[in-house]
Structures are given as structure tokens and as C-alpha cells.
Amino acid sequence: MHGAGIGPRDLVVDVGAGTGALTAALLDGGARVIAVELHPRRAHDLRLRFSHSDVVVVQVDASDLRLPRRPFKVVANPPFGIASALLRRLLGPGSRLQTADVVLPAWAARRWASPAAPGASRWRPTFTAAVKLRLPADAFRPPAPAPTAVLRLERRSARVGAPNAPPAPPRSEVDGVDVDAAPVGAFRRLRAEQVEVEGQHRASDAQQHRVAR
């Protein structure tokens, strides 16, 4: 969390939320969180733990995650097997990603930070990538099986309308609240303000891709 640049009311996607250690720290910093967790029991426990917080728990494979349509940040310790697919999605055309701090095997972090990163010619005009921090094995429970590092992705310009920034999405109205339009998807209301998140993945009838604006 240190140095991630998360501020109050930032929309943050916590990929591989697990038991909620990062989710709790993000909330303490004032962020609104989309906690992504595939394991049914852990997803259920996350819903119970954060039922009265600005958290939406999404039970979905992180490599198939539909991204928010508003600018967002990522703090993630994803399963290493889906890390490359996740990074490609975060760096894909139309992504509204502002910054991401993603825990990876050290060799993978070095690869994505290098000029030979997958698809670098496509996304490097918009994003930078660098190895931010190397982590010891005992920073994890259980200890990591291999050396790990944090890869930092950052949009070169986060200002809408500036060069390399994504265009502002169209506007529409849902339940009397002006929200960003997105493909037809599921909704959840948190408090009085809303923002739509693209996608149709559901964890349960009551759990939807919905976060407070």
C-alpha cells in the first residue's frame, strides 16, 4: 500500500482479494473498492466482512474481469497464472486505468517493465511500466515460492481530454442518477451515488457490478 498513491474516494480494483487484507487497507485510505475473488467461500466471507462498507465483491476469474467505465486504480496480488491476461486487459484499448501496482513473479515484472514487454508498441505511448519494489518471500502467508516484485503501471496523462487520455464515455441516467453509460450489465446501488461497471458477472442475486461514485 505504501506509495500506491491511493486517495480518498479513489475507485480501486483489488484483484485476488483473498481474505481482504488489501481491501481493508484501501478502505482505511478512503477508497471505494471492487474486490475481485474467484473462490466462493472467500468471496462469501468478503461480503460478510465488508457488508457495510464501500465495497463490491465480484466473484469472477480475474482474467475475465470487466473493467470500470470510470477512471480507476488497481492494487493487486493476483494468482500468478492469470497475471499476464490481467495485465493485457488493464492495458487494452479503452481502458480507463490510471495506475496499477501488481504483485508478480520477479522475472515477469522485469519482462513487463522492459522494452520487449508483450504488446509494448501498442500500450507504451499511453502507459509507463517499471519494477517498483522487490518483496521477500516471507512477506506472504504462506511464503511465496519464488522471488516477487511489484510492477507499477501508470498512465502518462490522467487528465480526460489530454493527449493519450481516453475519451470521456457517454452519459446516461439510471434511477435518476447521472452515470457513465456502459454495455448492458448488472447493477447494484450503494448509498445515493452510483457509477456503472461494465459486465454481467454475478456473485449472487444480491451482488452486482456496482460501486459508489
Side-chain angles (χ1 to χ4, degrees), residues 4 72-76 87 90 97-102 130 132 150-155:
F72 67 98
K73 298 179 179 181
V74 169
V75 175
L87 292 172
L90 294 176
L97 176 71
Q98 304 302 295
T99 63
D101 290 278
V102 184
K132 178 180 175 182
V150 175
L151 178 72
R152 159 55 73 99
L153 305 175
E154 188 166 7
R155 184 176 292 275

Side-chain angles (χ1 to χ4, degrees), residues 67-73 89-90 92-99 127 155 158 160-161 165-169 180:
L67 300 178
R69 300 291 288 182
R70 272 193 173 278
F72 67 98
K73 298 179 179 181
R89 187 171 294 274
L90 294 176
S95 171
R96 308 270 302 167
L97 176 71
Q98 304 302 295
T99 63
F127 295 97
R155 184 176 292 275
V160 173
D180 286 340

Side-chain angles (χ1 to χ4, degrees), residues 75-167:
V75 175
N77 181 18
F80 290 162
I82 60 90
S84 290
L86 173 64
L87 292 172
R88 289 188 179 95
R89 187 171 294 274
L90 294 176
L91 296 168
S95 171
R96 308 270 302 167
L97 176 71
Q98 304 302 295
T99 63
D101 290 278
V102 184
V103 177
L104 299 173
W107 66 267
R110 290 193 299 269
R111 180 190 182 209
W112 280 90
S114 75
S121 61
R122 171 181 52 78
W123 55 261
R124 279 201 179 271
T126 305
F127 295 97
T128 62
V131 177
K132 178 180 175 182
L133 179 68
R134 289 173 173 79
L135 300 173
D138 60 6
F140 302 88
R141 295 180 183 178
T148 60
V150 175
L151 178 72
R152 159 55 73 99
L153 305 175
E154 188 166 7
R155 184 176 292 275
R156 294 183 185 275
S157 174
R159 180 171 56 87
V160 173
N164 296 324

